[in-house]
């Protein structure tokens, strides 16, 4: 049965005025009639009455007409005003238009990138039952392995563990405990870890990187301490002259040990070597910066083979390492001056477009060491550097903005920061970064197309940038798109 058949009106929200009958209510109709015709009738009645009652002593008929007419007009006006007031009162307040609800907050693209990256890690995780090491769960070097079945490696699994920790483990499809166990099982027989192409001899940069991931994931200090001691013992000028002369190796060992063993005695020694290994660049106001190899050191192999060239990626790596060391170890005036010079060197980039300048070009470096079993051969490790991510991280160190403000270069800092962030963002597709050099995308096994370390560096840099740019104390917390 309909509402009309029940004798009810349509349903309405509480507090909403009911419908007005067609033609209006009787009071409203009377007020409307009074406003239209009553004022004229009242005015004419007053005019007629006064004209009849005024005494003849008033000078002539014109005077009587004038007095009666003015009185009638005044009465008509007052009657019209009274009718208008009544009409306003009886008609009720004008309906208020409800304000439009605020537009819902639209999430930015970064959560989608994080979600896509996590889904890819889940899809690409490798599980292998090794007859010697047991069950291994992790990742190969590339997320797009083209050479045989995927098998977890220590370096790739450590980077994958870092990604999982950064993303916060949104569900149980990836378990940090499995990754931690795998890294311990991948430890070499004599202790330590090495990259896939480095064989059975532990290398300090790989060992420190794995130790840093394990420490971040909560591995016990007692278990880490033995491996830290082995890493320190093997990273001496006598045992690893090549590594101690390379900026990339020294800074990687520093970052890993600052996580795994912040009180390690070797850390101040490595920082001193990094500070002493800076070079002066006359092209940028003689600011100190870094090359791929540290300055001429007593134990450097063939130090005069080629002149050291300033490198943006190695300068950024040195700034990040020195900044972290300053927070853990403290900082003296010499270390502070060199670190600040590195930031100023990065800010002195002469290019106009900072999302595609030469400072952001990716770089490949070879680390050549004597083969442990045959001194006539060399072990070659190809190291690829995602330059934009390192520059972004260097410019986001706590002291970088402070230096820019002191020098009046805050605008330059912002431009270079936005440029580096834009370059990092442009290199990914659905949360996965692909290695490219000179605009070419490599798909062979020699040039791995989707190295997991690059995805870690891209995600880590964008996450740090998003955290830095968030402003909860301002009305608009949105940031510029990167």
């Amino acid at each position: 049965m309909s509402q009309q058949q029940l004798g009810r009106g349509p349903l309405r929200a509480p507090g909403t005025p009911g419908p007005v009958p067609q033609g209006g209510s009787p009071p409203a109709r009377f007020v409307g009639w009074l406003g239209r015709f009553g004022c004229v009738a009242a005015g004419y009645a007053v005019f007629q009455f006064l004209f009849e009652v005024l005494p003849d002593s008033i000078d002539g008929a014109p005077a009587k007409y004038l007095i009666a007419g003015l009185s009638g007009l005044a009465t008509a006006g007052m009657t019209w005003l009274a009718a208008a007031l009544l009409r306003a009162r009886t008609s009720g307040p004008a309906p208020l238009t409800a304000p439009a609800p605020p537009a819902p907050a639209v999430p930015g693209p970064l959560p989608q990138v994080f979600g896509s990256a996590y889904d890819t890690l889940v899809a690409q995780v490798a599980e292998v039952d090794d007859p010697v090491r047991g069950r291994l769960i992790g990742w190969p070097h590339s997320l797009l392995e083209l050479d045989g079945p995927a098998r977890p490696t220590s370096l790739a699994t450590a980077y994958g563990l870092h990604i999982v920790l950064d993303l916060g483990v949104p569900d149980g499809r990836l378990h940090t405990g499995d990754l931690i166990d795998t890294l311990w099982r991948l430890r070499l027989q004599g202790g330590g870890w090495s990259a896939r192409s480095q064989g059975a001899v532990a290398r300090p940069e790989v060992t420190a990187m794995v130790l840093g991931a394990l420490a971040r994931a909560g591995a016990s200090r007692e278990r880490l301490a033995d491996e830290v001691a082995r890493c320190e013992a093997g990273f001496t000028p006598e045992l690893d002259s090549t590594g101690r002369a390379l900026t990339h190796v020294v800074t990687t060992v520093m970052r890993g040990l600052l996580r795994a063993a912040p009180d390690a005695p070797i850390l101040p020694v490595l920082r001193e070597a990094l500070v002493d290994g800076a070079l002066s660049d006359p092209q940028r106001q003689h600011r100190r910066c870094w090359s791929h190899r540290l300055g001429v050191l007593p134990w450097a192999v063939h130090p005069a083979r080629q002149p050291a060239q300033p490198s943006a990626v190695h300068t950024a790596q040195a700034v990040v390492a020195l900044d972290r060391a300053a927070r853990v170890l403290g900082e003296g005036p010499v270390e502070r001056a060199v670190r600040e010079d590195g930031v100023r060197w990065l800010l002195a980039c002469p290019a106009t477009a900072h999302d595609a300048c030469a400072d952001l070009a990716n770089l490949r470096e070879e680390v050549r060491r004597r083969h442990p079993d045959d001194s006539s051969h060399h072990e070659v490790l190809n190291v690829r550097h995602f330059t934009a991510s390192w520059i972004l991280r260097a410019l986001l160190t706590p002291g970088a903005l402070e230096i820019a403000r002191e020098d009046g270069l805050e605008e330059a800092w912002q431009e270079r920061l936005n440029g580096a962030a834009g370059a990092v963002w442009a290199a990914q597709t659905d949360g996965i970064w692909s290695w490219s050099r000179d605009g070419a995308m490599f798909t062979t096994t020699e040039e791995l197309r989707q190295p997991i370390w690059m995805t870690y560096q891209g995600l880590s840099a964008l996450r740090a940038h998003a955290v830095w740019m968030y402003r909860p104390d301002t009305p608009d917390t949105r940031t510029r798109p990167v």
Side-chain angles (χ1 to χ4, degrees), residues 187-479:
R187 183 177 47 168
L188 299 174
Q189 186 174 1
W193 290 263
S194 67
R196 181 171 58 176
S197 63
Q198 289 177 321
V201 176
R203 293 305 183 189
E205 68 273 23
V206 180
T207 298
M209 197 273 167
V210 172
L211 289 174
L214 288 171
R216 186 182 176 194
S220 67
R221 289 183 178 271
E222 292 77 13
R223 195 174 186 185
L224 293 173
D226 292 339
E227 294 301 328
V228 169
R230 291 191 182 97
C231 181
E232 288 186 284
F235 196 44
T236 64
E238 296 76 22
L239 297 178
D240 192 359
S241 58
T242 298
R244 285 290 295 266
L246 296 177
T247 304
H248 157 70
V249 176
V250 170
T251 56
T252 301
V253 173
M254 287 180 63
R255 294 194 313 273
L257 294 187
L258 283 167
R259 277 193 171 116
D263 55 349
I266 198 176
L267 284 172
V269 177
L270 295 181
R271 179 171 66 173
E272 182 180 358
L274 188 61
V275 169
D276 293 341
L279 57 94
S280 176
D281 183 9
Q283 301 297 323
R284 299 194 185 184
Q285 299 87 42
H286 290 278
R287 300 294 187 191
R288 280 169 291 186
C289 60
W290 281 264
S291 175
H292 76 283
R293 127 177 102 75
L294 298 175
V296 180
L297 299 175
W299 57 83
V301 178
H302 302 297
R305 177 176 296 174
Q306 60 181 2
Q309 297 294 327
S311 167
V313 65
H314 293 96
T315 299
Q317 289 173 353
V319 167
V320 171
L322 290 174
D323 177 80
R324 294 185 184 179
R327 282 181 278 171
V328 175
L329 308 176
E331 188 178 45
V334 175
E335 294 85 3
R336 179 182 178 88
V338 174
R339 177 180 59 82
E340 291 181 346
D341 250 17
V343 173
R344 292 185 174 99
W345 187 92
L346 292 173
L347 294 177
C349 173
T352 55
H354 294 286
D355 58 346
C357 63
D359 274 8
L360 298 180
N362 290 337
L363 192 67
R364 187 171 71 171
E365 174 184 355
E366 284 188 353
V367 178
R368 301 175 63 89
R369 289 184 172 101
R370 295 284 183 183
H371 197 281
D373 300 326
D374 186 355
S375 60
S376 64
H377 292 81
H378 286 83
E379 166 197 283
V380 179
L381 176 66
N382 286 309
V383 180
R384 297 170 179 84
H385 299 295
F386 186 12
T387 305
S389 70
W390 281 110
I391 291 180
L392 182 59
R393 290 158 76 177
L395 294 177
L396 288 175
T397 54
L401 179 57
E402 179 183 349
I403 295 168
R405 286 174 174 167
E406 289 178 359
D407 295 352
L409 297 174
E410 189 171 355
E411 184 176 349
W413 173 84
Q414 186 69 64
E415 289 178 359
R416 284 148 184 80
L417 184 72
N418 291 341
V424 172
W425 179 265
Q428 62 84 30
T429 302
D430 295 330
I432 301 300
W433 273 256
S434 299
W435 173 260
S436 64
R437 186 180 60 186
D438 300 331
M441 305 304 295
F442 300 96
T443 57
T444 65
T445 55
E446 192 275 330
E447 294 283 2
L448 297 174
R449 188 168 180 265
Q450 293 179 338
I452 192 171
W453 60 262
M454 191 175 188
T455 289
Y456 162 67
Q457 290 182 1
L459 291 172
S460 176
L462 290 182
R463 179 177 175 271
H465 181 255
V467 171
W468 181 276
M469 298 301 292
Y470 181 59
R471 298 289 186 270
D473 56 341
T474 58
D476 187 359
T477 59
R478 294 171 295 180
T479 62

Side-chain angles (χ1 to χ4, degrees), residues 65-110:
Y65 275 109
L66 179 60
I67 295 173
L70 292 175
S71 300
L73 290 175
T75 303
M78 293 176 64
T79 305
W80 183 86
L81 290 174
L85 179 61
L86 287 174
R87 185 165 58 246
R89 289 180 175 178
T90 55
S91 62
L96 297 177
T97 303
V106 179
L110 197 56

Side-chain angles (χ1 to χ4, degrees), residues 127-139:
E127 299 186 17
V128 175
D129 287 320
D130 188 277
V132 177
R133 303 180 184 277
R135 188 162 184 78
L136 305 177
I137 300 176
W139 291 271

